[in-house]
Amino acid sequence: MDINCDMGESYGQFKIGNDKNIFPYISSCNIACGFHGGDPLHIEQTIQQAIRYNLRIGAHPSYPDLVGFGRRKMVLSAAELRANIGYQVAAIKGMVESLGGQLSYVKPHGALYNEMAIHQTEALPVIEAIQRIDKKLSLMGLANSPLATFAQQQGIPFIAEAFADRQYNDQGQLMPRSQENAVITTPSLAVEQVVNIIEHQKVKTPKGEFTIQAQSICIHGDNPAAPAILKALKKVL
């Protein structure tokens, strides 16, 4: 099972996440593109580390919402959204290749990720932006969401993703961070959720459970418990 993490989100003097202690435990790396987090130096250093650890590298673009860390929904026209995503992905792709690596996929961040999972009006401009840059790039998104169908219709390879450190609601979507216990910080609970996904293709919800088929498991880099969760997960896997 692929384990991915959102990385390179520090900006200037503001440190986000614990990238140094996360790299040894993951197989894919989603690198911030500067619009929710990440500055050129941190992005470059993250790419270098990802190449050093031989990780699969993905771009992690967002709404242009640096102040809100990309977690606020923004209303953009299709043309504006397409241009914003194209700008971010092209920048990361160029930096990765200039350092001797290869960009493999795109995983949108935060509010954009959630909107794309269910709304075609958000998904299609993003997919078009990616395909304009490189038709070989895959799109990573929420497993069992309408986005998988949107991707298939547009002919872009889709990587279905589930989460180790986020609770799900009864509709199979991520529980909003504003709700209590939406983020899992206890390693044993995160491991239990991952094992349930891998062995039984199930995720527990407040009122029951739903079936999920995932190709990659995400740990959020800004989760303070990320290193501890990853260490516990490695022992079990």
Side-chain angles (χ1 to χ4, degrees):
M1 176 62 73
D2 177 56
I3 304 295
N4 78 78
C5 187
D6 306 335
M7 312 282 277
E9 295 177 319
S10 294
Y11 191 90
Q13 64 179 330
F14 300 100
K15 183 180 178 182
I16 306 295
N18 195 348
D19 291 5
K20 181 180 178 181
N21 292 324
I22 288 174
F23 275 113
Y25 299 97
I26 61 176
S27 49
S28 292
C29 177
N30 320 315
I31 301 178
C33 302
F35 276 30
H36 76 276
D39 59 39
L41 179 58
H42 280 106
I43 291 171
E44 182 180 86
Q45 291 174 341
T46 305
I47 294 170
Q48 290 171 330
Q49 287 294 93
I51 293 173
R52 177 190 168 195
Y53 281 96
N54 196 31
L55 304 180
R56 182 171 62 163
I57 299 174
H60 196 41
S62 72
Y63 285 128
D65 180 27
L66 192 58
V67 173
F69 199 64
R71 288 181 175 153
R72 300 181 295 186
K73 178 182 176 181
M74 300 183 73
V75 179
L76 305 180
S77 68
E80 190 175 8
L81 179 57
R82 184 169 54 245
N84 271 272
I85 298 305
Y87 182 92
Q88 294 177 73
V89 174
I92 294 296
K93 186 174 188 290
M95 291 183 73
V96 170
E97 292 176 354
S98 72
L99 294 169
Q102 180 179 356
L103 189 69
S104 298
Y105 65 94
V106 176
K107 174 191 168 181
H109 166 83
L112 179 59
Y113 180 98
N114 293 330
E115 290 299 309
M116 285 180 60
I118 55 177
H119 297 300
Q120 193 173 35
T121 52
E122 300 288 319
L124 294 188
V126 173
I127 292 172
E128 185 177 351
I130 296 168
Q131 291 181 318
R132 281 182 177 182
I133 294 168
D134 188 344
K135 291 186 180 298
K136 296 189 296 293
L137 291 173
S138 299
L139 173 65
M140 183 179 286
L142 188 63
N144 288 33
S145 70
L147 180 59
T149 301
F150 304 154
Q152 183 181 27
Q153 291 170 345
Q154 298 304 311
I156 187 171
F158 185 70
I159 303 169
E161 178 185 44
F163 290 83
D165 60 352
R166 291 292 302 277
Q167 298 275 14
Y168 285 80
N169 62 26
D170 293 307
Q171 289 71 48
Q173 299 168 1
L174 297 181
M175 191 177 291
R177 287 176 177 267
S178 58
Q179 291 188 312
E180 188 177 0
N181 299 320
V183 178
I184 299 173
T185 57
T186 303
S188 60
L189 294 180
V191 169
E192 179 184 349
Q193 179 154 295
V194 172
V195 170
N196 199 30
I197 291 170
I198 293 174
E199 292 189 346
H200 307 292
Q201 292 78 54
K202 299 286 185 181
V203 167
K204 292 181 180 179
T205 67
K207 295 182 180 179
E209 63 180 17
F210 71 94
T211 301
I212 187 170
Q213 293 181 329
Q215 298 162 287
S216 186
I217 301 290
C218 176
I219 311 288
H220 284 91
D222 64 328
N223 185 337
I229 291 173
L230 285 164
K231 289 178 183 177
L233 192 56
K234 183 176 181 180
K235 290 180 181 178
V236 172
L237 295 182

